[in-house]
Amino acid sequence: MDDAVKFRLYRLSVWCGVVVLVAFVVAFTVLGKLTPPVSPQASAQSVADTLVRNRTGILWAVVIMGVFVPLFYPFAVVTSLQMRRIEGGWGLLSMVQLTTAVVAPTGWLYPLAVYATAAYRPGRDPQLVLLLSDQFWLTYVGVAVIFVVNVAVIGLSALLDRRANPVFPRWFAYLNFVCAIALLPGVFVYAFSSGPLAWNGFFAMMLPALAFLVWKVTMIVVLLRAVKSEELEAAGQPKAVPAI
């Protein structure tokens, strides 16, 4: 493949991450009205009423995510391709990043589809609606722990990079470690129904959400720089990209 085409595809793959991020905000916040989360202690009737009010938005939120969330795959692949430069070929870190990243679309789309199932037919038994709502929130928030490994291996690759011109800046390694730690409390939603570790709590929901947003935006910026540095290396100009 011609280098110009290859690096154009790389950049397009990075920008796919921007599209997914925008779609995510629109689907979960604007259409689905899932921010802030319902309380784990809300009654079945209250939850059922909420889904009836937001039914159209919830159903369209699934459509939006179904259309755009697959674009996360090229973003995940281009991330591993940059990590591959650090390892000198496909290695443990680049492969772990890729295999953990591929669950991201399922981790967003499947729980939302469950929530849409609860909203799909108004008039269901509120207890059934509550069951599906619980499954949505426990899955959506709880499985975020998977990304601890994903984010951590990206940070580890940046920390172990001994190239004269690193693919990722050194500070990015530490940012990934901090974000990985921030994502960890989400798994505790299975054991708590109130307080900061419940699915609407600060440590289980708000902190991981903020960490993911910071990581995602930073990852996009750093990946664009990394692709540019690879392009310059291919052209014999490895020192032309300033560090950030």
Side-chain angles (χ1 to χ4, degrees):
M1 181 186 294
D2 180 77
D3 278 353
V5 175
K6 180 178 76 171
F7 290 115
R8 192 174 300 122
L9 288 174
Y10 281 11
R11 288 191 183 88
L12 182 61
S13 296
V14 177
W15 284 107
C16 281
V18 178
V19 175
V20 172
L21 182 60
V22 172
F24 185 90
V25 172
V26 170
F28 279 80
T29 303
V30 180
L31 292 177
K33 294 181 172 59
L34 299 172
T35 304
V38 299
S39 170
Q41 298 179 327
S43 69
Q45 190 60 55
S46 174
V47 171
D49 291 343
T50 297
L51 266 69
V52 169
R53 288 195 303 270
N54 298 338
R55 177 180 180 273
T56 300
I58 292 168
L59 298 181
W60 277 103
V62 181
V63 174
I64 293 295
M65 291 301 287
V67 170
F68 291 105
V69 80
L71 295 178
F72 189 83
Y73 289 123
F75 182 83
V77 171
V78 78
T79 301
S80 278
L81 285 172
Q82 293 307 310
M83 293 171 65
R84 181 176 180 268
R85 294 169 60 200
I86 297 172
E87 295 183 291
W90 289 109
L92 177 67
L93 299 181
S94 55
M95 291 301 295
V96 168
Q97 193 286 138
L98 186 59
T99 53
T100 53
V102 295
V103 304
T106 304
W108 295 323
L109 186 58
Y110 171 73
L112 192 57
V114 169
Y115 207 55
T117 301
Y120 189 72
R121 298 184 189 276
R124 288 187 193 272
D125 183 340
Q127 290 297 331
L128 292 178
V129 174
L130 181 63
L131 175 64
L132 291 171
S133 175
D134 286 350
Q135 183 180 355
F136 164 70
W137 287 109
L138 290 171
T139 306
Y140 171 55
V141 180
V143 300
V145 69
I146 294 173
F147 297 104
V148 171
V149 175
N150 178 269
V151 174
V153 295
I154 296 173
L156 185 58
S157 70
L159 194 64
L160 297 177
D161 193 350
R162 294 296 182 263
R163 295 157 47 92
N165 298 286
V167 173
F168 302 130
R170 180 59 61 91
W171 60 262
F172 184 62
Y174 300 108
L175 175 66
N176 275 267
F177 296 145
V178 171
C179 289
I181 294 171
L183 289 170
L184 184 60
V187 74
F188 291 100
V189 296
Y190 296 101
F192 293 87
S193 60
S194 63
L197 291 175
W199 72 51
N200 64 338
F202 176 78
F203 288 112
M205 178 61 169
M206 305 307 175
L207 182 61
L210 178 61
F212 177 78
L213 179 61
V214 170
W215 173 82
K216 186 70 171 180
V217 172
T218 308
M219 190 79 215
I220 291 167
V221 174
V222 170
L223 273 178
L224 287 172
R225 174 191 176 276
V227 170
K228 181 63 176 179
S229 73
E230 183 180 5
E231 184 178 23
L232 292 172
E233 285 180 7
Q237 306 174 55
K239 297 184 179 181
V241 179
I244 58 174

